[in-house]
Amino acid sequence: MSNHSRRRFLAAAASVGLAGCAEPLGWSRGDGSRGDSAGGSEAGGGNATGRPDEATAQPTEALPEPTGTVDVRGAIYLPTRAFNTYQMWSDYDPEVIERDLGYAASVNLNAVRTWLCYEHWLEDPEAHGRALEHFLTAAAAEGIEVLLGVFEGVGEPPTEENLTNTNPVDAVGVYSPSGQVVRDPGRWDRPREFVRWVMERYRDDERLLAIEIMNEPGWTIQQRFARGMFETLREERGDVPLTVGSTSFANNADYLDWELDAMQFHYNFPSTRAIVRDVLHQATSMEEAASMPVWFAEWQRLRTGRGFNSKVQGDEWQPNYSSIAPFIHDAGVGNFFWTLMVQPAYTVAQRKQGVLVGMFHEDGAVWDLEDARSIKAMSGDPSVDHLEERKEWPEWASEARRD
């Protein structure tokens, strides 16, 4: 970011009350703390502005009736039965990938956000490379660009058990690389090699929307690691934009001098429609001020209560993208909802409450037609006559269901 853009960003941040705010709002660890691989613990589940949420179960503000199109219409992607990216890449199934990306295209998505796996790359870089090449080719065939993450900042330690556990009750997402690596700059050579491996192959690849150095690196030791890796990313820069998976607008202030090409913010569970409107207004203001894209790169639904791990009430255990999508459409903000495929929640804390996420079952039926309609409408076409609705838990994941 240029000094001029930096000054404009800071001025805009001050005008909307972001200065000094640094409360996370994205994922958290299964124990309710932030997934900091360096051993840090920061309270999870805040909001994009750092201001307290209003806990309101029944928002009264009417849904907008937006028109026009949104340029970046995306979803987070993991295969249905993968609980972390190690499982996605080590058990890579080309037919499943092509099927799922076809589902994404059927609701006119033009982007997906996913992550590589450093641990799998260490085991078998050639296999990871073949799988990644197929993934990008399959996505391009459906008119879908990929926001490709390199490292993951959230989850549990990347032990063999955590990486390979597929039990729907207690399987976990994993941060990557390990805390021992993140804490010790003397062990950063191999992660830097991984970054160079990615950039040598894909720095100018038109199939990529952007390359993300790390998802939610937080504020402390992980951020130091992410910054170091971003320096290597920048040294290898090509035509593909570079970004970081920032939890909030305020967190982006920490990344201003990294020379980002796109900013992100994450807000999975806002509690009122007024908060959604406020957050989206800030996004459009930031985009104008910084003269770069600002993507709402993680969102799910309106939900009562404050915080990522707040108690789930009533039917809040199920997807409800249509509670937020019309506001995003109306604001025209590029976005990625969590997640394309129907599966138990990513974090164990959510799964313990019986939370289910996603739009498409493995056979192509959708959980909710109104969700599919509101997502597809961002392309200017809300028709979903070709889809079937089925609000049934996947049989393979029934152990995680909480009645």
Side-chain angles (χ1 to χ4, degrees):
M1 180 182 287
S2 69
N3 288 334
H4 175 65
S5 294
R6 179 187 173 92
R7 288 193 297 271
R8 292 185 66 194
F9 176 90
L10 292 173
S15 73
V16 295
L18 297 182
C21 299
E23 187 175 8
L25 56 114
W27 293 111
S28 61
R29 294 179 53 177
D31 60 6
S33 65
R34 275 271 307 163
D36 191 323
S37 67
S41 176
E42 299 160 348
N47 61 61
T49 64
R51 295 194 291 271
D53 288 351
E54 302 170 17
T56 303
Q58 299 295 332
T60 57
E61 183 180 356
L63 287 169
E65 297 183 3
T67 58
T69 62
V70 178
D71 289 342
V72 177
R73 306 179 302 277
I76 308 294
Y77 179 70
L78 283 173
T80 305
R81 306 196 192 200
F83 290 91
N84 54 55
T85 56
Y86 179 85
Q87 294 171 19
M88 172 178 173
W89 297 108
S90 64
D91 300 326
Y92 191 84
D93 187 330
E95 291 184 1
V96 167
I97 297 300
E98 292 172 17
R99 179 199 68 193
D100 294 353
L101 292 172
Y103 294 157
S106 74
V107 289
N108 292 354
L109 297 186
N110 63 5
V112 292
R113 179 175 176 235
T114 195
W115 296 270
L116 303 174
C117 181
Y118 175 65
E119 286 70 27
H120 178 52
W121 178 81
L122 289 174
E123 291 177 355
D124 195 337
E126 291 186 3
H128 202 335
R130 287 192 301 270
L132 175 56
E133 182 60 26
H134 175 268
F135 186 87
L136 295 178
T137 299
E142 297 289 355
I144 292 171
E145 293 182 303
V146 178
L147 173 50
L148 187 66
V150 181
F151 300 107
E152 169 63 282
V154 175
E156 301 299 325
T159 63
E160 182 178 358
E161 179 181 359
N162 286 341
L163 290 169
T164 59
N165 181 10
T166 58
N167 186 319
V169 175
D170 58 10
V172 296
V174 296
Y175 53 72
S176 175
S178 69
Q180 293 91 333
V181 172
V182 166
R183 286 190 293 267
D184 183 2
R187 301 179 66 177
W188 289 2
D189 286 350
R190 285 291 273 166
R192 289 189 192 279
E193 184 182 343
F194 184 43
V195 172
R196 293 190 181 98
W197 179 86
V198 173
M199 295 301 284
E200 286 170 3
R201 288 160 176 77
Y202 298 110
R203 63 167 67 96
D204 298 315
D205 199 310
E206 295 181 352
R207 297 171 296 182
L208 295 180
L209 176 69
I211 295 174
E212 172 187 308
I213 191 60
M214 194 172 206
N215 178 48
E216 299 193 4
W219 284 262
T220 55
I221 297 173
Q222 267 189 324
Q223 188 179 115
R224 183 183 67 174
F225 170 80
R227 184 185 185 111
M229 295 303 107
F230 198 92
E231 290 173 357
T232 301
L233 198 74
R234 194 173 58 229
E235 289 169 3
E236 302 290 334
R237 180 192 293 274
D239 293 333
V240 175
L242 307 180
T243 185
V244 62
S246 178
T247 53
S248 68
F249 296 124
N251 210 190
N252 275 304
D254 295 332
Y255 310 137
L256 287 176
D257 60 352
W258 292 20
E259 297 182 20
L260 303 179
D261 300 309
M263 287 188 288
Q264 299 181 33
F265 67 101
H266 304 165
Y267 202 161
N268 283 281
F269 301 115
S271 60
T272 70
R273 293 174 178 176
I275 289 171
V276 175
R277 280 198 182 277
D278 182 45
V279 166
L280 291 167
H281 170 70
Q282 291 174 45
T284 55
S285 297
M286 291 298 102
E287 189 166 77
E288 181 179 358
S291 300
M292 70 172 67
V294 175
W295 296 321
F296 194 174
E298 282 184 24
W299 63 274
Q300 294 188 51
R301 58 162 296 157
L302 288 180
R303 195 168 78 180
T304 307
R306 181 181 182 278
F308 186 84
N309 290 318
S310 60
K311 183 178 179 181
V312 172
Q313 300 186 27
D315 67 355
E316 294 174 349
W317 57 268
Q318 65 181 309
N320 187 2
Y321 303 115
S322 61
S323 65
I324 294 179
F327 294 99
I328 300 174
H329 185 179
D330 194 44
V333 173
N335 65 97
F336 298 80
F337 66 90
W338 193 295
T339 175
L340 181 68
M341 304 304 294
V342 171
Q343 55 198 167
Y346 187 67
T347 66
V348 173
Q350 296 286 322
R351 221 173 302 149
K352 286 180 177 178
Q353 298 197 66
V355 172
L356 189 77
V357 300
M359 178 174 291
F360 285 97
H361 289 281
E362 290 177 293
D363 65 358
V366 295
W367 180 264
D368 186 276
L369 279 172
E370 188 55 37
D371 282 355
R373 184 177 294 110
S374 65
I375 293 293
K376 189 165 185 257
M378 293 189 198
S379 70
D381 175 12
S383 62
V384 291
D385 296 340
H386 60 295
L387 297 175
E388 172 191 349
E389 178 180 279
R390 190 173 70 253
K391 293 187 176 182
E392 296 178 2
W393 263 77
E395 184 177 348
W396 67 270
S398 59
E399 291 178 68
R401 181 172 182 171
R402 299 290 181 269
D403 292 319

